[in-house]
Amino acid sequence: MKNLVVTEEIWKEGNMYTAYCPKLDVVSCGRNIEEARKNLLEVIEIHLEEAAKLGTLKAFLEDAGKES
C-alpha cells in the first residue's frame, strides 16, 4: 500500500474543533485538536476503503490530484 500525504486545516468553532482536508474535500470534528485530527484520519480511511469497494478509488484519487 502506498502512503498518501495530505494537508489538514483545523480551526475552533464554538466548543468544537473542525478538521478539514481540502485536497480530498473531507471534514470531521472533535472536542480538541487531537480528537479532530484523529477523526479526520478515520473519515479519510473510510472514504478510501469505500471508494476501493465501489471500484472508484482511482477516480477519487484523480479528482484529488493524486494517482493510485
Side-chain angles (χ1 to χ4, degrees):
M1 175 167 275
K2 295 181 180 182
N3 289 328
L4 179 64
V5 178
V6 295
T7 300
E8 65 184 358
E9 298 174 6
I10 300 177
W11 63 90
K12 189 170 185 178
E13 290 188 63
N15 294 331
M16 299 291 287
Y17 287 85
T18 299
Y20 176 61
C21 175
K23 196 70 162 174
L24 300 176
D25 195 26
V26 176
V27 67
S28 190
C29 64
R31 290 171 284 194
N32 54 53
I33 292 172
E34 294 79 21
E35 183 177 278
R37 178 176 287 130
K38 178 180 117 345
N39 290 343
L40 179 63
L41 291 174
E42 185 174 309
V43 170
I44 290 170
E45 287 177 10
I46 291 168
H47 270 72
L48 294 174
E49 289 171 2
E50 290 302 312
K53 286 180 190 175
L54 295 171
T56 60
L57 180 59
K58 182 175 178 159
F60 179 75
L61 293 174
E62 286 173 353
D63 286 346
K66 305 287 181 194
E67 292 186 27
S68 58

